[in-house]
Short mmCIF file of all heavy atoms in Angstrom, two decimals:
data_model
loop_
_atom_site.label_atom_id
_atom_site.label_comp_id
_atom_site.label_asym_id
_atom_site.label_seq_id
_atom_site.Cartn_x
_atom_site.Cartn_y
_atom_site.Cartn_z
N PHE O 141 -3.26 -13.28 10.46
CA PHE O 141 -2.71 -13.47 11.81
C PHE O 141 -3.69 -14.22 12.70
O PHE O 141 -4.92 -14.05 12.57
CB PHE O 141 -2.39 -12.13 12.46
CG PHE O 141 -1.22 -11.40 11.87
CD1 PHE O 141 -1.39 -10.51 10.82
CD2 PHE O 141 0.07 -11.59 12.36
CE1 PHE O 141 -0.32 -9.83 10.27
CE2 PHE O 141 1.14 -10.92 11.83
CZ PHE O 141 0.96 -10.04 10.78
N GLU O 142 -3.15 -15.00 13.63
CA GLU O 142 -3.96 -15.62 14.69
C GLU O 142 -3.74 -14.89 16.00
O GLU O 142 -4.14 -15.38 17.05
CB GLU O 142 -3.58 -17.10 14.83
CG GLU O 142 -3.83 -17.93 13.58
CD GLU O 142 -5.28 -17.93 13.13
OE1 GLU O 142 -6.17 -17.86 14.01
OE2 GLU O 142 -5.53 -17.98 11.91
N ARG O 143 -3.08 -13.76 15.95
CA ARG O 143 -2.82 -12.93 17.12
C ARG O 143 -3.53 -11.58 16.92
O ARG O 143 -3.84 -11.20 15.79
CB ARG O 143 -1.32 -12.69 17.31
CG ARG O 143 -0.51 -13.96 17.54
CD ARG O 143 -0.72 -14.50 18.95
NE ARG O 143 0.17 -15.64 19.21
CZ ARG O 143 -0.14 -16.90 18.97
NH1 ARG O 143 -1.31 -17.20 18.43
NH2 ARG O 143 0.72 -17.87 19.25
N PRO O 144 -3.76 -10.82 17.99
CA PRO O 144 -4.41 -9.51 17.83
C PRO O 144 -3.58 -8.57 16.93
O PRO O 144 -2.36 -8.51 17.06
CB PRO O 144 -4.50 -8.97 19.25
CG PRO O 144 -4.41 -10.18 20.13
CD PRO O 144 -3.53 -11.14 19.42
N VAL O 145 -4.27 -7.86 16.07
CA VAL O 145 -3.64 -6.87 15.20
C VAL O 145 -4.33 -5.52 15.41
O VAL O 145 -5.55 -5.42 15.22
CB VAL O 145 -3.72 -7.26 13.71
CG1 VAL O 145 -3.11 -6.17 12.83
CG2 VAL O 145 -3.03 -8.59 13.46
N ASP O 146 -3.58 -4.52 15.81
CA ASP O 146 -4.10 -3.15 15.90
C ASP O 146 -3.72 -2.44 14.61
O ASP O 146 -2.56 -2.06 14.42
CB ASP O 146 -3.53 -2.42 17.11
CG ASP O 146 -3.97 -3.04 18.42
OD1 ASP O 146 -5.18 -3.27 18.58
OD2 ASP O 146 -3.11 -3.32 19.29
N HIS O 147 -4.70 -2.31 13.72
CA HIS O 147 -4.46 -1.72 12.41
C HIS O 147 -4.85 -0.24 12.45
O HIS O 147 -6.03 0.12 12.44
CB HIS O 147 -5.27 -2.46 11.34
CG HIS O 147 -5.04 -1.96 9.96
ND1 HIS O 147 -5.99 -2.03 8.96
CD2 HIS O 147 -3.95 -1.37 9.38
CE1 HIS O 147 -5.51 -1.52 7.84
NE2 HIS O 147 -4.28 -1.11 8.08
N LEU O 148 -3.85 0.63 12.51
CA LEU O 148 -4.10 2.07 12.63
C LEU O 148 -4.24 2.69 11.25
O LEU O 148 -3.79 2.14 10.24
CB LEU O 148 -2.94 2.73 13.39
CG LEU O 148 -2.52 2.07 14.69
CD1 LEU O 148 -1.38 2.85 15.34
CD2 LEU O 148 -3.70 1.93 15.64
N TYR O 149 -4.87 3.86 11.22
CA TYR O 149 -5.08 4.57 9.96
C TYR O 149 -4.38 5.93 9.99
O TYR O 149 -4.52 6.69 10.94
CB TYR O 149 -6.58 4.77 9.70
CG TYR O 149 -7.32 3.47 9.47
CD1 TYR O 149 -8.03 2.88 10.51
CD2 TYR O 149 -7.27 2.82 8.24
CE1 TYR O 149 -8.70 1.68 10.32
CE2 TYR O 149 -7.93 1.63 8.04
CZ TYR O 149 -8.64 1.06 9.07
OH TYR O 149 -9.29 -0.13 8.87
N ALA O 150 -3.64 6.19 8.91
CA ALA O 150 -2.90 7.45 8.83
C ALA O 150 -3.82 8.65 8.73
O ALA O 150 -3.38 9.78 8.95
CB ALA O 150 -1.95 7.42 7.64
N SER O 151 -5.09 8.43 8.42
CA SER O 151 -6.04 9.55 8.38
C SER O 151 -6.07 10.28 9.72
O SER O 151 -6.35 11.48 9.78
CB SER O 151 -7.44 9.04 8.03
OG SER O 151 -7.85 8.04 8.95
N THR O 152 -5.77 9.57 10.80
CA THR O 152 -5.76 10.18 12.13
C THR O 152 -4.74 11.31 12.22
O THR O 152 -4.97 12.32 12.89
CB THR O 152 -5.43 9.11 13.20
OG1 THR O 152 -6.33 8.01 13.04
CG2 THR O 152 -5.56 9.68 14.60
N ILE O 153 -3.61 11.16 11.52
CA ILE O 153 -2.59 12.21 11.55
C ILE O 153 -2.68 13.14 10.34
O ILE O 153 -2.27 14.30 10.42
CB ILE O 153 -1.17 11.62 11.66
CG1 ILE O 153 -0.84 10.73 10.46
CG2 ILE O 153 -1.01 10.85 12.96
CD1 ILE O 153 0.61 10.26 10.40
N PHE O 154 -3.23 12.64 9.22
CA PHE O 154 -3.30 13.45 8.01
C PHE O 154 -4.50 14.40 7.98
O PHE O 154 -4.44 15.47 7.38
CB PHE O 154 -3.35 12.57 6.76
CG PHE O 154 -2.04 11.90 6.42
CD1 PHE O 154 -2.02 10.64 5.86
CD2 PHE O 154 -0.83 12.54 6.65
CE1 PHE O 154 -0.83 10.02 5.53
CE2 PHE O 154 0.37 11.93 6.34
CZ PHE O 154 0.37 10.66 5.77
N MET O 155 -5.60 13.99 8.61
CA MET O 155 -6.81 14.80 8.52
C MET O 155 -6.62 16.21 9.08
O MET O 155 -7.04 17.19 8.46
CB MET O 155 -7.95 14.08 9.22
CG MET O 155 -9.33 14.55 8.78
SD MET O 155 -9.66 14.17 7.03
CE MET O 155 -9.97 12.42 7.15
N PRO O 156 -5.97 16.37 10.24
CA PRO O 156 -5.74 17.74 10.72
C PRO O 156 -4.90 18.56 9.75
O PRO O 156 -5.14 19.78 9.59
CB PRO O 156 -4.99 17.53 12.05
CG PRO O 156 -5.40 16.17 12.50
CD PRO O 156 -5.55 15.36 11.25
N TYR O 157 -3.93 17.93 9.08
CA TYR O 157 -3.09 18.64 8.11
C TYR O 157 -3.94 19.13 6.94
O TYR O 157 -3.81 20.29 6.50
CB TYR O 157 -1.98 17.73 7.61
CG TYR O 157 -1.01 18.42 6.68
CD1 TYR O 157 0.10 19.09 7.17
CD2 TYR O 157 -1.21 18.42 5.29
CE1 TYR O 157 0.98 19.75 6.31
CE2 TYR O 157 -0.35 19.06 4.43
CZ TYR O 157 0.75 19.72 4.94
OH TYR O 157 1.61 20.37 4.09
N ILE O 158 -4.83 18.26 6.44
CA ILE O 158 -5.70 18.64 5.31
C ILE O 158 -6.60 19.80 5.70
O ILE O 158 -6.75 20.76 4.95
CB ILE O 158 -6.54 17.44 4.86
CG1 ILE O 158 -5.65 16.35 4.26
CG2 ILE O 158 -7.58 17.87 3.83
CD1 ILE O 158 -6.39 15.06 3.93
N LYS O 159 -7.19 19.71 6.88
CA LYS O 159 -8.11 20.77 7.33
C LYS O 159 -7.38 22.10 7.50
O LYS O 159 -7.95 23.16 7.21
CB LYS O 159 -8.79 20.36 8.62
CG LYS O 159 -9.80 19.22 8.44
CD LYS O 159 -10.47 18.83 9.75
CE LYS O 159 -11.51 17.75 9.54
NZ LYS O 159 -12.14 17.32 10.81
N ASN O 160 -6.14 22.06 7.94
CA ASN O 160 -5.37 23.30 8.12
C ASN O 160 -4.99 23.97 6.80
O ASN O 160 -4.61 25.14 6.78
CB ASN O 160 -4.10 23.02 8.93
CG ASN O 160 -4.39 22.79 10.41
OD1 ASN O 160 -5.42 23.22 10.92
ND2 ASN O 160 -3.49 22.09 11.08
N LEU O 161 -5.10 23.23 5.69
CA LEU O 161 -4.82 23.83 4.38
C LEU O 161 -5.92 24.82 3.98
O LEU O 161 -5.69 25.72 3.16
CB LEU O 161 -4.71 22.73 3.31
CG LEU O 161 -3.50 21.80 3.40
CD1 LEU O 161 -3.62 20.67 2.38
CD2 LEU O 161 -2.19 22.57 3.18
N ASN O 162 -7.13 24.63 4.54
CA ASN O 162 -8.27 25.53 4.26
C ASN O 162 -8.51 25.70 2.76
O ASN O 162 -8.66 26.83 2.26
CB ASN O 162 -8.04 26.90 4.91
CG ASN O 162 -8.06 26.83 6.42
OD1 ASN O 162 -8.91 26.17 7.01
ND2 ASN O 162 -7.11 27.51 7.06
#
Side-chain angles (χ1 to χ4, degrees):
F141 289 90
E142 299 301 327
R143 299 286 186 270
V145 177
D146 295 311
H147 182 208
L148 311 181
Y149 294 99
S151 56
T152 307
I153 61 172
F154 287 146
M155 201 65 75
Y157 184 88
I158 293 173
K159 290 180 177 178
N160 286 337
L161 292 173
N162 293 316

